[in-house]
Amino acid sequence: MKRLLSISLAMILLICLIGILPLSATAADEDAKVTPLEEGEDGQLIVDMAHLLTDEEISSLTKKAKDISDAHGCSVVIVTSPRLDGKTSTAFADDYYDYHGYLSDGVLLLIALDNGAGSRAWAISTTGECIKSFNESEQEIVIDDIKPSLSSKKWYIAFDRYLSGVDRYLSPYVAWYWIPLSLLIAFVVSFLIMLIFRSQLKSVKMQSGARDYLRAGSMKVTVSRDTFLYHTVTRTAKPKDTGSSSGGGTHIGSSGSSHGGSSGTF
């Protein structure tokens, strides 16, 4: 009887240990995880994880971003974040665009309040056709325009001006069938103009030389010399090193997608 009781107690103890071990492992795994940043829904155009904007400002910017996105056939996105979680601002911007359900063509502006080095950072990530239609020189113009507002924490004004700049530089969407149609129209118009000009020149006869336009004995060359009139000097400006921003060039994100863009601090 005592032996049977001992075996029963041992089995109960073993079952309890088996049940506790997975729970302990799960708890340890949860403790090891880093709490992820709050994220917006997939496809959301204004994602304010740093809480820089009011609800009314987010609504106004979202409408403007959607109108611009619809007009140009791409996703125009603004993301704010309190930190970068160990990534560069460029990598953070690329990854956020690639993993949150945006179109294959698009541009994203990231504002990070802490880049890990005690500075506030910005980054622009472009993908698809927007790599060419919103290039680095145009990005620099837009950023220079909004940087005073960013530095003075006038976030809404900065983002509103940014969206206007993107709208100005993005190439408008043109349906593919308009290209051959435009070429055909241009050819027909040019052909008609050529026929009109040709009909006006029927009285003109081709001359093999200039003899008929000269009066005999009226032209005598007494002096002949070569005169140097001008020279051409080409100068190339040395690029300035501002140290405030950098062009990322075309690169591949962690998802395998190609990106362009630029980044810097403010």
Side-chain angles (χ1 to χ4, degrees), residues 43-46 61-62 64-79 97 102-103 105-109 125 130 134 159 162-164 166-167 170:
Q44 187 174 341
L45 299 180
I46 307 297
L61 291 172
T62 298
K64 186 170 184 176
K66 186 177 186 305
D67 290 343
I68 296 171
S69 298
D70 293 343
H72 298 289
C74 62
S75 294
V76 178
V77 187
I78 297 176
V79 175
Y97 191 95
Y102 298 112
L103 298 176
D105 301 327
V107 52
L108 181 147
L109 170 67
S125 174
C130 290
F134 189 42
F159 297 152
Y162 166 79
L163 290 174
S164 297
V166 172
D167 186 31
L170 283 180

Side-chain angles (χ1 to χ4, degrees), residues 246-262:
S246 61
T250 302
H251 55 277
I252 305 298
S254 65
S255 69
S257 298
S258 295
H259 288 272
S262 53

Side-chain angles (χ1 to χ4, degrees), residues 52 80 109-111 113 120-123 142-159 162 265-266:
L52 305 179
T80 73
L109 170 67
L110 168 70
I111 298 297
L113 300 185
R120 290 177 292 185
W122 62 268
V142 173
I143 289 296
D144 286 344
D145 181 46
I146 69 171
K147 195 173 284 186
S149 297
L150 291 176
S151 299
S152 58
K153 299 183 180 180
K154 297 177 181 178
W155 308 113
Y156 177 80
I157 295 175
F159 297 152
Y162 166 79
T265 58
F266 65 96

Side-chain angles (χ1 to χ4, degrees), residues 31-240:
D31 291 339
K33 291 180 179 178
V34 177
T35 303
L37 287 172
E38 176 188 355
E39 296 179 350
E41 299 177 0
D42 282 358
Q44 187 174 341
L45 299 180
I46 307 297
V47 184
D48 186 24
M49 294 185 289
H51 305 294
L52 305 179
L53 303 166
T54 66
D55 291 342
E56 291 77 12
E57 290 172 339
I58 292 175
S59 178
S60 176
L61 291 172
T62 298
K63 182 181 183 305
K64 186 170 184 176
K66 186 177 186 305
D67 290 343
I68 296 171
S69 298
D70 293 343
H72 298 289
C74 62
S75 294
V76 178
V77 187
I78 297 176
V79 175
T80 73
S81 176
R83 60 188 185 274
L84 295 176
D85 281 354
K87 297 181 179 180
T88 65
S89 57
T90 296
F92 193 105
D94 291 346
D95 288 349
Y96 198 95
Y97 191 95
D98 289 343
Y99 294 110
H100 286 84
Y102 298 112
L103 298 176
S104 57
D105 301 327
V107 52
L108 181 147
L109 170 67
L110 168 70
I111 298 297
L113 300 185
D114 185 0
N115 66 348
S119 300
R120 290 177 292 185
W122 62 268
I124 292 178
S125 174
T126 56
T127 189
E129 291 299 318
C130 290
I131 295 177
K132 295 181 292 184
S133 58
F134 189 42
N135 59 48
E136 291 177 22
S137 61
E138 294 165 345
Q139 294 167 27
E140 183 180 0
I141 294 173
V142 173
I143 289 296
D144 286 344
D145 181 46
I146 69 171
K147 195 173 284 186
S149 297
L150 291 176
S151 299
S152 58
K153 299 183 180 180
K154 297 177 181 178
W155 308 113
Y156 177 80
I157 295 175
F159 297 152
D160 184 67
R161 292 179 67 89
Y162 166 79
L163 290 174
S164 297
V166 172
D167 186 31
R168 182 169 64 251
Y169 284 112
L170 283 180
S171 300
Y173 174 75
V174 179
W176 66 268
Y177 53 80
W178 279 107
I179 297 175
L181 182 59
S182 299
L183 293 174
L184 178 61
I185 293 173
F187 175 79
V188 172
V189 171
S190 300
F191 183 73
L192 292 175
I193 293 174
M194 182 185 69
L195 289 179
I196 293 172
F197 286 160
R198 183 178 179 182
S199 65
Q200 296 175 350
L201 297 174
K202 287 184 177 179
S203 61
V204 178
K205 296 181 180 179
M206 180 178 177
Q207 300 292 332
S208 59
R211 182 177 302 173
D212 294 339
Y213 302 99
L214 294 176
R215 181 179 300 174
S218 64
M219 181 178 177
K220 294 182 180 180
V221 179
T222 59
V223 179
S224 176
R225 65 174 178 268
D226 294 330
T227 303
F228 181 76
L229 297 179
Y230 59 87
H231 66 280
T232 301
V233 178
T234 302
R235 294 184 175 90
T236 302
K238 182 179 179 181
K240 297 181 180 179

